[in-house]
Amino acid sequence: MRFKRNIATSEAGFIFNPASGDSFSSNPIGSEILTQLKEDKSRQEIIEVIASRYDVEKNQFERDLEDFMSQLRDYNLLDEN
Amino acid sequence: MKTETTNTSTRRKLVIAVTGLNAIDSPGPGVAVLRAIRECPDFDVRIIGLSYEPLEPGIYMHDLVDKAYQIPYPPAGTENLLHRLKYIHEQEKIDLIIPNFDAELFSFIKLSDDLNNMGIHTFLPDLGQFEARHKTMLFKFGKKHKFLIPEDRLIHQISDLTKAADELDYPLVIKGKYYDAIIVNSKDDAQKAFLQLQAKWGLPIIAQQFIKGTEINIAILGDGKGNAISIIPMRKLFITDKGKAWAGITIEESSFIDLAHQFITATKWRGGCELEVMQTNDGKAYIMEVNPRFPAWIYLTAAAGQNQPATLVKMALGEKVEPFKDYVAGKMFIRYSWDMIVEVGEFQKISGMGEL
């Protein structure tokens, strides 16, 4: 599952879906994850990057990432293909 | 020999008359239309405002409207309207009229040949196109062209409401013939809405099935030959208690563009129009209404890169225009209210003399 190509994001964490007009804001960590997703990083790569930058257990972050991804899915920001 | 061409001298001088200057809480499109036209670098325009009431705000916007004239309300008949337009034309030598009210369009379409003979262009749908999408005909229209349209019933007397509610169920949308829609959840509310809308717009009243979803409006400019020259979909972001968009954003969704193309192919619509669409959670797009003129938010089309009013001017004057391809998604409008200060003398002038 990939972050949709047409979704616009800003460094400040603003997300805009041009197809629906929906907009969202994420916190700085969310913004970092979005940047990684846009670079087509795998889930494992994202976990490695974030865990190396912040004081967080990989297991804990894996669960948080799962939650975040399911939010992105609910908001129709992921390509299901 | 030195020849100089200034930017101004190459701009085409035009006199354009526009109605719908009631920039109120349920705004007419006139001010937005002429704002878009004024911004087009190809024209040097003199704008004539045509008003029905002396308190239409656009009359007093002197940076946008050069001169305003009152015209008779549609019930006064097309003869009276033509008589008044002849007088205004003698003063102003009008090149083009852009009417912006549903209720007046019938008269202007009927008069389009007379106006053309006077040298005044219009760019309007024909009567067949105009009538086919009327609120009272919309369901039939949808069936014919395979569009999703909420089911409705025409209500000619208040007692018919019960039957309509039994068949369509609550909530219902009770709609006036030309404008206004009220969502009702009970028989009492439905009757109240019926009487309110009957007093304002006459009969019939339309009882329409309520569709839950996201409101999308699409501004379209058709060339009358089945081609859409411009299509801009907008999602309403803030909706007033009258159901009007007070803020909106352009969106880029191919299904809405396709829907607009299908509409134009089916109708061969000539001029500006607006599709009011409700997108349900499962992705179905219902056409709730087809407005036979530009919407009040039409300036957003200019801001997004497809100036529909200015393009209509070019088409009305016989210029060949190519369909637009791109626009900016994510362009927003946010409407606001503004108290203009007006000298009573101006109000007296338009009220007493019918001109300002």
Side-chain angles (χ1 to χ4, degrees):
Chain A
M1 238 179 305
R2 282 164 37 168
F3 197 56
K4 282 185 178 170
R5 289 278 171 216
N6 62 340
I7 307 288
T9 57
S10 75
E11 279 179 21
F14 184 76
I15 307 164
F16 172 62
N17 182 348
S20 65
D22 286 326
S23 56
F24 311 90
S25 52
S26 70
N27 63 17
I29 302 283
S31 178
E32 278 193 60
I33 297 170
L34 292 174
T35 306
Q36 314 270 332
L37 284 171
K38 288 192 96 172
E39 289 169 2
D40 278 339
K41 293 267 169 59
S42 69
R43 203 167 289 208
Q44 200 49 47
E45 284 173 311
I46 295 171
I47 293 167
E48 296 297 335
V49 170
I50 298 293
S52 71
R53 285 184 192 164
Y54 298 96
D55 182 17
V56 61
E57 289 293 327
K58 279 187 187 174
N59 286 347
Q60 174 63 46
F61 179 68
E62 205 171 340
R63 285 195 294 277
D64 292 345
L65 181 62
E66 192 52 50
D67 283 349
F68 187 66
M69 295 299 283
S70 85
Q71 273 190 12
L72 296 180
R73 196 179 306 113
D74 289 347
Y75 291 141
N76 202 21
L77 298 172
L78 297 182
D79 250 331
E80 300 293 332
N81 301 325
Chain B
M1 200 174 77
K2 194 179 158 192
T3 46
E4 276 184 15
T5 314
T6 65
N7 207 16
T8 326
S9 67
T10 56
R11 292 166 71 195
R12 191 168 180 182
K13 279 192 188 302
L14 292 172
V15 180
I16 299 175
V18 174
T19 68
L21 302 178
N22 56 329
I24 55 171
D25 59 343
S26 175
V31 170
V33 166
L34 60 91
R35 182 182 173 201
I37 292 171
R38 277 214 182 275
E39 282 195 7
C40 178
D42 302 338
F43 314 133
D44 177 11
V45 287
R46 175 171 166 79
I47 296 287
I48 307 302
L50 304 176
S51 67
Y52 292 98
E53 292 284 343
L55 283 179
E56 289 182 27
I59 298 170
Y60 305 95
M61 297 178 182
H62 301 309
D63 50 341
L64 290 175
V65 177
D66 294 298
K67 176 94 192 240
Y69 293 86
Q70 272 198 272
I71 55 171
Y73 269 112
T78 49
E79 276 307 310
N80 281 329
L81 176 62
L82 184 62
H83 182 72
R84 181 64 174 156
L85 292 174
K86 274 181 181 162
Y87 166 79
I88 299 167
H89 188 49
E90 277 167 17
Q91 318 302 311
E92 302 290 347
K93 301 281 172 287
I94 299 168
D95 294 298
L96 168 67
I97 293 183
I98 306 176
N100 290 300
F101 277 127
D102 300 24
E104 70 185 4
L105 277 172
F106 179 82
S107 308
F108 277 98
I109 293 170
K110 289 270 273 192
L111 289 177
S112 56
D113 286 344
D114 292 302
L115 294 174
N116 199 35
N117 291 337
M118 288 158 60
I120 302 175
H121 297 85
T122 54
F123 200 71
L124 298 168
D126 63 33
L127 273 182
Q129 295 166 334
F130 178 70
E131 296 289 351
R133 47 46 56 193
H134 196 276
K135 284 184 193 190
T136 55
M137 310 283 282
L138 191 62
F139 188 65
K140 203 170 142 195
F141 169 84
K143 253 188 157 171
K144 185 178 168 191
H145 297 294
K146 299 195 169 53
F147 292 120
L148 279 175
I149 312 267
E151 223 178 303
D152 63 23
R153 299 286 182 276
L154 295 187
I155 310 291
H156 294 275
Q157 50 195 7
I158 199 160
S159 55
D160 292 346
L161 270 175
T162 314
K163 191 167 175 257
D166 285 346
E167 288 167 0
L168 303 176
D169 210 0
Y170 290 109
L172 271 180
V173 186
I174 308 294
K175 291 177 148 185
K177 190 163 60 165
Y178 291 113
Y179 295 103
D180 294 335
I182 301 168
I183 298 167
V184 297
N185 285 293
S186 68
K187 188 180 169 185
D188 281 354
D189 285 350
Q191 289 182 340
K192 214 165 109 189
F194 176 93
L195 294 171
Q196 197 181 323
L197 295 173
Q198 180 192 14
K200 206 166 171 190
W201 301 113
L203 292 172
I205 298 296
I206 300 112
Q208 191 182 55
Q209 184 192 4
F210 176 79
I211 304 287
K212 196 174 172 218
T214 305
E215 287 189 53
I216 308 289
N217 289 354
I218 312 172
I220 315 173
L221 179 60
D223 70 353
K225 295 168 191 156
N227 305 303
I229 300 302
S230 166
I231 300 169
I232 301 282
M234 177 275 291
R235 174 176 169 183
K236 291 183 181 182
L237 290 179
F238 185 95
I239 302 171
T240 67
D241 55 358
K242 292 193 172 175
K244 304 294 160 189
W246 206 253
I249 188 164
T250 54
I251 56 170
E252 190 182 278
E253 168 58 52
S254 58
S255 64
F256 297 129
I257 306 282
D258 292 345
L259 180 67
H261 276 298
Q262 286 161 23
F263 172 78
I264 291 293
T265 307
T267 59
K268 296 194 167 47
W269 191 266
R270 189 166 187 261
C273 65
E274 177 193 34
L275 297 187
E276 291 188 13
V277 174
M278 191 69 84
Q279 189 184 35
T280 60
N281 284 342
D282 55 356
K284 286 181 185 151
Y286 283 83
I287 298 179
M288 309 301 288
E289 222 165 283
V290 179
N291 293 317
R293 34 87 198 154
F294 285 134
W297 56 273
I298 196 68
Y299 183 74
L300 186 66
T301 65
Q306 298 189 5
N307 189 331
Q308 291 192 4
T311 308
L312 179 139
V313 171
K314 292 177 184 174
M315 291 160 80
L317 298 175
E319 219 176 279
K320 184 164 169 42
V321 297
E322 291 300 321
F324 284 96
K325 287 191 170 63
D326 301 313
Y327 63 91
V328 182
K331 192 66 90 171
M332 290 172 68
F333 80 88
I334 302 172
R335 197 167 279 164
Y336 70 104
S337 305
W338 177 264
D339 297 348
M340 283 189 294
I341 302 303
V342 174
E343 298 304 327
V344 72
E346 294 201 328
F347 176 66
Q348 276 172 354
K349 238 175 157 180
I350 187 78
S351 306
M353 311 296 288
E355 297 179 23
L356 180 65

